[in-house]
Amino acid sequence: EAGVAQSPRYKIIEKRQSVAFWCNPISGHATLYWYQQILGQGPKLLIQFQNNGVVDDSQLPKDRFSAERLKGVDSTLKIQPAKLEDSAVYLCASSPPTSYPRRQGEHTGELFFGEGSRLTVL
Amino acid sequence: DQQVKQNSPSLSVQEGRISILNCDYTNSMFDYFLWYKKYPAEGPTFLISISSIKDKNEDGRFTVFLNKSAKHLSLHIVPSQPGDSAVYFCAATANSGYALNFGKGTSLLVTP
């Protein structure tokens, strides 16, 4: 089974430039997540999609970040304009929840992560 | 604010000994907890999980213990092997959601 695919693996840009990251989840996975992991920190959720609808984007800096998941499969995360503090690894994950919302204490099903896209903003 | 806390940034253990990684949480609505393992330049991979209706879950060399009253969980690795050297993230999820809240991670080094 193919895993979560992400590209590019590495990107270096100057501040105020724009960048886009692409993610292809595991086939059949309805839920897709974008996480930001700054060096020395744990991954932080940016946005969660269920099929092509947004479930949670409360921590997405909407003045500069945008994400879409057209047709409920691939997703793109864009940053425009980039700031120095956006330097991080951007992780895409997918999961196959069988019911939504889930019941209290129910097994959530693990999230499957891609290898990440490392962004350096100079 | 950090709702999942891993207060030990690093841990060094000798091969064959027990590794104990700790995690505390503040959100009483968390009802499912997971541990992820991460090697450099790779994405996190799922290791083991536990529901709030249990206090222990075991999978081979890995056991997770949950103490709800203390809002604390721990991951035990017995015996530790050099291949276990990685960053371990504690994660939790609340209510009806599936998105995970992660701690900062603990870097485990298992020495021969």
Side-chain angles (χ1 to χ4, degrees):
Chain A
E1 177 182 80
V4 176
Q6 289 190 247
S7 67
R9 288 294 311 276
Y10 304 93
K11 188 74 176 179
I12 300 174
I13 62 173
E14 294 190 348
K15 59 183 180 183
R16 290 187 289 273
Q17 287 187 322
S18 63
V19 63
F21 302 112
W22 172 83
C23 173
N24 181 244
I26 293 173
S27 177
H29 281 195
T31 308
L32 184 147
Y33 314 78
W34 282 102
Y35 280 85
Q36 179 194 56
Q37 186 180 9
I38 293 172
L39 187 64
Q41 306 286 321
K44 183 186 87 170
L45 179 70
L46 292 176
I47 189 167
Q48 176 186 350
F49 293 95
Q50 175 81 356
N51 296 310
N52 60 350
V54 175
V55 173
D56 183 357
D57 64 355
S58 58
Q59 299 190 82
L60 186 73
K62 297 180 185 65
D63 57 334
R64 298 182 300 105
F65 286 65
S66 64
E68 59 182 11
R69 191 184 184 195
L70 300 176
K71 301 180 182 179
V73 181
D74 294 7
S75 178
T76 303
L77 176 70
K78 295 180 182 177
I79 308 174
Q80 181 180 11
K83 292 186 175 181
L84 297 177
E85 58 261 36
D86 298 332
S87 294
V89 175
Y90 291 85
L91 293 162
C92 180
S94 67
S95 69
T98 56
S99 64
Y100 196 91
R102 67 176 175 87
R103 290 179 293 275
Q104 185 81 7
E106 178 185 10
H107 192 291
T108 67
E110 60 182 279
L111 270 62
F112 294 80
F113 284 86
E115 293 181 315
S117 295
R118 180 178 294 277
L119 173 66
T120 302
V121 182
L122 303 175
Chain B
D1 63 331
Q2 196 79 18
Q3 298 185 71
V4 178
K5 300 178 183 180
Q6 294 177 259
N7 294 319
S8 297
S10 62
L11 176 68
S12 183
V13 171
Q14 275 193 319
E15 182 178 6
R17 298 286 187 104
I18 183 171
S19 294
I20 300 176
L21 293 88
N22 293 304
C23 177
D24 298 292
Y25 61 95
T26 57
N27 189 340
S28 58
M29 300 304 294
F30 286 148
D31 67 336
Y32 204 85
F33 306 87
L34 305 90
W35 285 92
Y36 276 76
K37 178 178 178 180
K38 185 181 184 304
Y39 293 116
E42 294 184 10
T45 55
F46 171 75
L47 187 60
I48 192 169
S49 63
I50 188 167
S51 166
S52 58
I53 60 176
K54 296 184 177 180
D55 55 18
K56 177 183 174 181
N57 189 28
E58 201 169 347
D59 183 1
R61 297 186 296 114
F62 303 91
T63 303
V64 57
F65 296 92
L66 175 63
N67 182 335
K68 283 191 296 182
S69 60
K71 294 192 177 67
H72 177 84
L73 64 157
S74 61
L75 174 68
H76 292 211
I77 307 173
V78 183
S80 301
Q81 299 174 354
D84 296 330
S85 298
V87 177
Y88 289 78
F89 290 100
C90 174
T93 185
N95 297 330
S96 60
Y98 291 89
L100 301 179
N101 297 272
F102 284 87
K104 291 185 178 181
T106 296
S107 179
L108 173 66
L109 177 65
V110 180
T111 57

Coordinates of all heavy atoms in Angstrom, one line a residue, chain A residues 3-69:
Chain A
G3 N 2.1 5.0 0.7 CA 1.9 5.8 1.8 C 1.5 7.2 1.4 O 1.2 7.5 0.2
V4 N 1.5 8.2 2.3 CA 1.2 9.5 2.0 C 2.4 10.2 1.3 O 3.5 10.1 1.8 CB 0.9 10.3 3.4 CG1 0.7 11.8 3.0 CG2 -0.3 9.7 4.1
A5 N 2.1 10.8 0.2 CA 3.1 11.4 -0.7 C 3.1 12.9 -0.5 O 2.0 13.5 -0.5 CB 2.9 11.0 -2.1
Q6 N 4.3 13.5 -0.4 CA 4.4 14.9 -0.2 C 5.5 15.4 -1.1 O 6.5 14.7 -1.3 CB 4.7 15.3 1.2 CG 3.6 15.1 2.2 CD 3.9 15.8 3.5 OE1 4.1 15.1 4.5 NE2 4.0 17.1 3.5
S7 N 5.3 16.6 -1.7 CA 6.4 17.3 -2.4 C 6.2 18.8 -2.3 O 5.1 19.3 -2.1 CB 6.3 16.8 -3.9 OG 5.1 17.3 -4.5
P8 N 7.3 19.5 -2.5 CA 8.7 19.0 -2.5 C 9.1 18.6 -1.1 O 8.5 19.0 -0.1 CB 9.4 20.3 -3.0 CG 8.7 21.4 -2.4 CD 7.2 21.0 -2.5
R9 N 10.2 17.9 -1.1 CA 10.8 17.5 0.2 C 11.5 18.7 0.9 O 11.5 18.8 2.1 CB 11.8 16.4 0.0 CG 11.2 15.0 -0.3 CD 10.4 14.5 0.9 NE 11.0 14.5 2.2 CZ 11.8 13.6 2.6 NH1 12.2 12.6 1.9 NH2 12.4 13.7 3.8
Y10 N 12.1 19.5 0.1 CA 12.8 20.7 0.6 C 12.5 21.9 -0.2 O 12.4 21.8 -1.5 CB 14.3 20.4 0.6 CG 14.7 19.2 1.4 CD1 14.9 18.0 0.7 CD2 14.9 19.2 2.8 CE1 15.2 16.8 1.4 CE2 15.3 18.1 3.5 CZ 15.4 16.9 2.8 OH 15.8 15.7 3.5
K11 N 12.5 23.1 0.4 CA 12.2 24.3 -0.3 C 12.9 25.5 0.5 O 12.7 25.6 1.7 CB 10.7 24.6 -0.4 CG 10.4 25.7 -1.3 CD 10.6 25.4 -2.8 CE 10.1 26.5 -3.7 NZ 10.3 26.2 -5.1
I12 N 13.7 26.3 -0.2 CA 14.3 27.4 0.4 C 13.8 28.7 -0.4 O 13.9 28.7 -1.6 CB 15.8 27.4 0.3 CG1 16.3 26.1 1.1 CG2 16.4 28.6 0.9 CD1 17.8 25.9 0.9
I13 N 13.2 29.6 0.3 CA 12.7 30.8 -0.3 C 13.1 32.0 0.6 O 13.5 31.9 1.7 CB 11.2 30.8 -0.5 CG1 10.5 30.7 0.9 CG2 10.7 29.7 -1.4 CD1 9.0 30.8 0.9
E14 N 13.0 33.2 0.0 CA 13.2 34.4 0.8 C 11.9 34.9 1.3 O 10.8 34.6 0.8 CB 13.8 35.5 -0.1 CG 15.2 35.1 -0.6 CD 16.0 36.2 -1.2 OE1 15.4 37.2 -1.6 OE2 17.2 36.0 -1.5
K15 N 12.0 35.7 2.4 CA 10.7 36.2 3.0 C 10.0 37.0 2.0 O 10.6 37.6 1.1 CB 11.0 37.0 4.3 CG 11.9 38.2 4.1 CD 12.2 38.8 5.5 CE 13.1 40.0 5.3 NZ 13.5 40.6 6.6
R16 N 8.7 37.0 2.2 CA 7.7 37.7 1.3 C 7.5 36.9 0.0 O 6.6 37.3 -0.7 CB 8.1 39.1 1.0 CG 8.0 40.0 2.3 CD 8.2 41.5 1.9 NE 9.6 41.7 1.6 CZ 10.6 42.0 2.5 NH1 10.2 42.1 3.7 NH2 11.8 42.3 2.1
Q17 N 8.2 35.8 -0.3 CA 7.9 35.0 -1.4 C 6.8 34.0 -1.1 O 6.4 33.9 0.1 CB 9.2 34.3 -1.9 CG 10.2 35.1 -2.6 CD 11.3 34.3 -3.2 OE1 11.8 33.3 -2.6 NE2 11.8 34.8 -4.3
S18 N 6.3 33.3 -2.1 CA 5.2 32.4 -1.9 C 5.8 31.0 -2.1 O 6.8 30.8 -2.8 CB 4.0 32.7 -2.8 OG 4.4 32.5 -4.1
V19 N 5.0 30.0 -1.5 CA 5.4 28.6 -1.7 C 4.2 27.7 -1.6 O 3.2 28.1 -1.0 CB 6.4 28.2 -0.6 CG1 5.8 28.3 0.8 CG2 7.0 26.8 -0.8
A20 N 4.2 26.6 -2.2 CA 3.1 25.7 -2.2 C 3.6 24.3 -2.0 O 4.6 23.9 -2.5 CB 2.3 25.7 -3.5
F21 N 2.8 23.5 -1.1 CA 3.2 22.1 -0.9 C 2.0 21.3 -1.3 O 0.8 21.7 -1.1 CB 3.4 22.0 0.6 CG 4.5 22.8 1.2 CD1 4.3 23.8 2.0 CD2 5.8 22.6 0.7 CE1 5.3 24.6 2.5 CE2 6.9 23.4 1.2 CZ 6.6 24.4 2.1
W22 N 2.3 20.1 -1.8 CA 1.3 19.2 -2.3 C 1.3 17.9 -1.5 O 2.4 17.4 -1.0 CB 1.6 18.9 -3.8 CG 0.8 17.8 -4.4 CD1 -0.5 18.0 -4.9 CD2 1.1 16.5 -4.6 NE1 -0.9 16.8 -5.4 CE2 0.0 15.8 -5.2 CE3 2.3 15.7 -4.2 CZ2 0.0 14.5 -5.5 CZ3 2.3 14.4 -4.6 CH2 1.2 13.8 -5.2
C23 N 0.1 17.3 -1.3 CA 0.0 16.1 -0.6 C -1.0 15.2 -1.3 O -2.1 15.6 -1.7 CB -0.5 16.4 0.9 SG -0.9 14.9 1.8
N24 N -0.6 13.9 -1.4 CA -1.5 12.9 -1.9 C -1.7 11.8 -0.8 O -0.8 11.1 -0.5 CB -1.0 12.2 -3.2 CG -1.9 11.2 -3.7 OD1 -1.6 10.0 -3.8 ND2 -3.1 11.6 -4.1
P25 N -2.9 11.7 -0.2 CA -3.1 10.8 0.9 C -3.2 9.4 0.5 O -3.2 9.1 -0.7 CB -4.4 11.3 1.5 CG -5.2 11.8 0.3 CD -4.1 12.4 -0.6
I26 N -3.2 8.5 1.4 CA -3.4 7.1 1.2 C -4.8 6.9 0.5 O -5.8 7.5 1.0 CB -3.3 6.2 2.4 CG1 -1.8 6.3 2.9 CG2 -3.7 4.8 2.2 CD1 -1.6 5.7 4.3
S27 N -4.9 6.1 -0.5 CA -6.1 5.9 -1.2 C -7.2 5.4 -0.3 O -7.1 4.5 0.5 CB -5.9 4.8 -2.3 OG -7.1 4.5 -3.0
G28 N -8.4 6.1 -0.4 CA -9.5 5.7 0.4 C -9.6 6.5 1.7 O -10.6 6.4 2.4
H29 N -8.6 7.2 2.1 CA -8.6 7.9 3.4 C -9.4 9.2 3.2 O -9.1 10.1 2.4 CB -7.2 8.2 3.8 CG -6.5 7.1 4.5 ND1 -5.4 7.2 5.2 CD2 -6.8 5.8 4.5 CE1 -5.0 6.0 5.7 NE2 -5.9 5.1 5.2
A30 N -10.5 9.3 4.0 CA -11.4 10.5 3.8 C -10.8 11.7 4.5 O -11.1 12.8 4.1 CB -12.7 10.1 4.4
T31 N -10.0 11.5 5.6 CA -9.6 12.7 6.4 C -8.1 13.0 6.1 O -7.3 12.1 6.0 CB -9.8 12.4 7.8 OG1 -11.1 12.0 8.1 CG2 -9.6 13.7 8.7
L32 N -7.9 14.3 5.9 CA -6.5 14.7 5.6 C -6.2 15.9 6.5 O -7.0 16.7 6.8 CB -6.4 15.2 4.1 CG -5.1 15.6 3.6 CD1 -4.9 15.2 2.1 CD2 -4.8 17.1 3.8
Y33 N -4.9 15.9 7.0 CA -4.5 16.9 7.9 C -3.2 17.5 7.4 O -2.4 16.9 6.8 CB -4.2 16.3 9.3 CG -5.2 15.3 9.8 CD1 -5.3 14.0 9.4 CD2 -6.0 15.7 10.9 CE1 -6.2 13.1 9.9 CE2 -7.0 14.8 11.4 CZ -7.0 13.5 10.9 OH -7.9 12.7 11.4
W34 N -3.0 18.8 7.7 CA -1.8 19.5 7.5 C -1.3 19.9 8.9 O -2.0 20.6 9.7 CB -1.9 20.7 6.7 CG -1.9 20.4 5.2 CD1 -3.0 20.5 4.4 CD2 -0.8 20.1 4.3 NE1 -2.7 20.2 3.1 CE2 -1.4 20.0 3.0 CE3 0.5 20.0 4.5 CZ2 -0.6 19.7 1.9 CZ3 1.3 19.7 3.4 CH2 0.8 19.5 2.1
Y35 N -0.1 19.5 9.3 CA 0.6 19.9 10.5 C 1.8 20.7 10.2 O 2.5 20.5 9.2 CB 1.0 18.7 11.3 CG -0.1 18.0 12.1 CD1 -1.0 17.1 11.5 CD2 -0.4 18.3 13.4 CE1 -2.0 16.5 12.2 CE2 -1.4 17.7 14.2 CZ -2.2 16.8 13.5 OH -3.2 16.2 14.2
Q36 N 2.1 21.6 11.1 CA 3.4 22.4 11.1 C 4.3 22.0 12.2 O 3.8 22.0 13.4 CB 3.1 23.9 11.2 CG 4.3 24.8 11.1 CD 4.0 26.2 11.6 OE1 3.5 26.5 12.6 NE2 4.3 27.2 10.7
Q37 N 5.5 21.6 11.9 CA 6.4 21.2 13.0 C 7.6 22.1 13.0 O 8.5 22.0 12.1 CB 6.8 19.8 12.9 CG 7.7 19.3 14.2 CD 8.1 17.9 14.1 OE1 8.0 17.2 13.2 NE2 8.7 17.5 15.3
I38 N 7.7 23.0 13.9 CA 8.9 23.9 14.1 C 9.9 23.1 14.9 O 9.6 22.3 15.7 CB 8.5 25.2 14.8 CG1 7.5 26.0 13.9 CG2 9.7 26.0 15.2 CD1 6.9 27.2 14.5
L39 N 11.2 23.4 14.5 CA 12.3 22.7 15.2 C 12.2 22.7 16.7 O 12.0 23.8 17.3 CB 13.6 23.3 14.7 CG 14.9 22.6 15.2 CD1 15.0 21.2 14.5 CD2 16.1 23.5 14.8
G40 N 12.3 21.5 17.3 CA 12.2 21.5 18.8 C 10.8 21.4 19.3 O 10.6 21.4 20.5
Q41 N 9.8 21.5 18.5 CA 8.4 21.4 18.9 C 7.7 20.2 18.4 O 8.2 19.5 17.4 CB 7.7 22.7 18.4 CG 8.3 24.0 18.7 CD 8.1 24.4 20.2 OE1 7.0 24.1 20.7 NE2 9.1 24.9 20.8
G42 N 6.5 19.9 18.9 CA 5.7 18.9 18.4 C 4.9 19.4 17.2 O 4.7 20.6 17.0
P43 N 4.4 18.5 16.4 CA 3.5 18.9 15.3 C 2.3 19.7 15.8 O 1.7 19.3 16.8 CB 3.1 17.6 14.6 CG 4.2 16.6 15.0 CD 4.6 17.0 16.4
K44 N 1.9 20.8 15.1 CA 0.8 21.6 15.4 C -0.2 21.5 14.2 O 0.2 21.8 13.1 CB 1.2 23.0 15.7 CG 0.0 23.9 16.1 CD 0.4 25.3 16.3 CE 0.3 26.1 15.0 NZ 0.5 27.5 15.1
L45 N -1.5 21.2 14.5 CA -2.5 21.1 13.5 C -2.7 22.5 12.8 O -3.0 23.5 13.5 CB -3.8 20.6 14.0 CG -4.9 20.4 13.0 CD1 -4.6 19.3 12.0 CD2 -6.3 20.2 13.7
L46 N -2.7 22.5 11.5 CA -3.0 23.7 10.8 C -4.5 23.6 10.3 O -5.3 24.5 10.4 CB -2.1 24.0 9.6 CG -0.7 24.3 10.0 CD1 0.2 24.4 8.7 CD2 -0.6 25.7 10.7
I47 N -4.8 22.5 9.6 CA -6.1 22.3 9.1 C -6.4 20.9 8.9 O -5.5 20.1 8.7 CB -6.2 23.1 7.7 CG1 -7.6 23.1 7.2 CG2 -5.3 22.5 6.7 CD1 -7.8 24.1 6.0
Q48 N -7.7 20.6 9.0 CA -8.2 19.2 8.9 C -9.4 19.2 7.9 O -10.3 20.0 8.0 CB -8.7 18.6 10.2 CG -9.3 17.3 10.2 CD -9.9 16.8 11.5 OE1 -9.7 17.4 12.5 NE2 -10.6 15.7 11.5
F49 N -9.3 18.3 6.9 CA -10.3 18.1 5.9 C -11.0 16.8 6.1 O -10.4 15.8 6.4 CB -9.8 18.1 4.5 CG -9.2 19.4 4.0 CD1 -7.8 19.7 4.1 CD2 -10.0 20.4 3.4 CE1 -7.3 20.8 3.7 CE2 -9.5 21.5 2.9 CZ -8.1 21.8 3.1
Q50 N -12.3 16.8 5.9 CA -13.1 15.5 5.9 C -13.6 15.5 4.4 O -14.5 16.3 4.1 CB -14.2 15.5 6.9 CG -15.1 14.2 6.8 CD -14.5 13.0 7.5 OE1 -13.4 13.0 7.9 NE2 -15.3 11.9 7.5
N51 N -13.1 14.6 3.6 CA -13.4 14.6 2.2 C -12.9 16.0 1.7 O -11.8 16.4 1.9 CB -14.9 14.3 1.9 CG -15.2 12.9 2.3 OD1 -14.5 12.0 1.9 ND2 -16.3 12.7 3.1
N52 N -13.8 16.8 1.1 CA -13.3 18.1 0.6 C -13.8 19.3 1.4 O -13.7 20.4 1.1 CB -13.6 18.3 -0.9 CG -15.1 18.3 -1.1 OD1 -15.9 17.9 -0.3 ND2 -15.5 18.6 -2.3
G53 N -14.4 18.9 2.6 CA -14.8 20.0 3.5 C -13.9 20.2 4.7 O -13.2 19.3 5.1
V54 N -13.8 21.5 5.1 CA -12.9 21.8 6.2 C -13.6 21.5 7.6 O -14.7 21.9 7.8 CB -12.5 23.3 6.2 CG1 -11.7 23.7 7.4 CG2 -11.8 23.6 4.9
V55 N -12.9 20.7 8.4 CA -13.5 20.4 9.7 C -12.9 21.3 10.8 O -13.7 21.8 11.7 CB -13.1 18.9 10.1 CG1 -13.5 18.6 11.5 CG2 -13.7 17.9 9.1
D56 N -11.6 21.7 10.7 CA -11.0 22.5 11.7 C -9.9 23.3 11.0 O -8.9 22.7 10.5 CB -10.5 21.7 12.8 CG -9.9 22.5 14.0 OD1 -9.8 23.7 13.9 OD2 -9.5 21.9 15.0
D57 N -10.0 24.6 11.0 CA -8.9 25.4 10.5 C -8.6 26.6 11.5 O -8.1 27.6 11.2 CB -9.1 26.0 9.1 CG -10.4 26.9 9.1 OD1 -11.0 27.1 10.1 OD2 -10.6 27.5 8.0
S58 N -8.9 26.3 12.8 CA -8.8 27.4 13.8 C -7.4 27.8 14.0 O -7.2 28.9 14.5 CB -9.4 26.9 15.1 OG -8.8 25.7 15.6
Q59 N -6.4 27.0 13.8 CA -5.0 27.4 14.0 C -4.3 27.8 12.7 O -3.1 27.9 12.7 CB -4.3 26.3 14.7 CG -4.9 26.0 16.1 CD -4.0 25.1 16.9 OE1 -3.0 25.6 17.6 NE2 -4.3 23.8 17.0
L60 N -5.0 27.9 11.6 CA -4.4 28.3 10.3 C -4.3 29.8 10.3 O -5.3 30.5 10.4 CB -5.2 27.7 9.2 CG -4.7 27.9 7.8 CD1 -3.5 27.0 7.6 CD2 -5.8 27.7 6.7
P61 N -3.1 30.4 10.1 CA -3.0 31.8 9.9 C -3.6 32.3 8.6 O -2.8 32.3 7.6 CB -1.5 32.1 10.0 CG -0.9 30.8 10.6 CD -1.8 29.7 10.1
K62 N -4.8 32.6 8.6 CA -5.5 32.8 7.3 C -5.1 34.0 6.5 O -5.5 34.1 5.3 CB -7.0 32.8 7.6 CG -7.5 31.5 8.2 CD -9.0 31.5 8.4 CE -9.5 30.3 9.1 NZ -9.0 30.2 10.5
D63 N -4.3 34.9 7.2 CA -3.9 36.1 6.4 C -2.8 35.7 5.4 O -2.6 36.4 4.4 CB -3.4 37.1 7.4 CG -2.3 36.7 8.3 OD1 -2.2 35.5 8.5 OD2 -1.5 37.5 8.7
R64 N -2.2 34.5 5.7 CA -1.0 34.2 4.8 C -1.1 32.7 4.3 O -0.5 32.4 3.3 CB 0.3 34.4 5.5 CG 0.5 35.9 5.8 CD 1.9 36.1 6.4 NE 2.1 35.4 7.7 CZ 2.8 34.3 7.8 NH1 3.5 33.8 6.7 NH2 3.0 33.7 8.9
F65 N -1.8 31.9 5.0 CA -1.9 30.5 4.7 C -3.2 30.2 4.1 O -4.3 30.7 4.5 CB -1.7 29.6 6.0 CG -0.3 29.5 6.5 CD1 0.3 30.6 7.0 CD2 0.4 28.3 6.5 CE1 1.6 30.5 7.5 CE2 1.6 28.2 7.1 CZ 2.3 29.3 7.6
S66 N -3.2 29.3 3.1 CA -4.5 28.8 2.6 C -4.3 27.3 2.2 O -3.2 26.9 1.9 CB -4.9 29.6 1.3 OG -3.9 29.4 0.3
A67 N -5.4 26.6 2.2 CA -5.3 25.1 1.8 C -6.6 24.8 1.2 O -7.6 25.3 1.5 CB -5.1 24.3 3.1
E68 N -6.4 23.8 0.3 CA -7.6 23.3 -0.4 C -7.5 21.8 -0.7 O -6.4 21.3 -0.8 CB -7.9 24.1 -1.7 CG -6.8 24.0 -2.7 CD -7.1 24.8 -4.0 OE1 -8.0 25.6 -4.0 OE2 -6.3 24.6 -5.0
R69 N -8.6 21.2 -0.8 CA -8.6 19.8 -1.1 C -9.7 19.5 -2.1 O -10.8 19.1 -1.8 CB -8.9 18.9 0.1 CG -8.6 17.4 -0.1 CD -8.9 16.6 1.1 NE -8.6 15.2 0.9 CZ -9.0 14.2 1.6 NH1 -9.8 14.4 2.6 NH2 -8.7 13.0 1.3

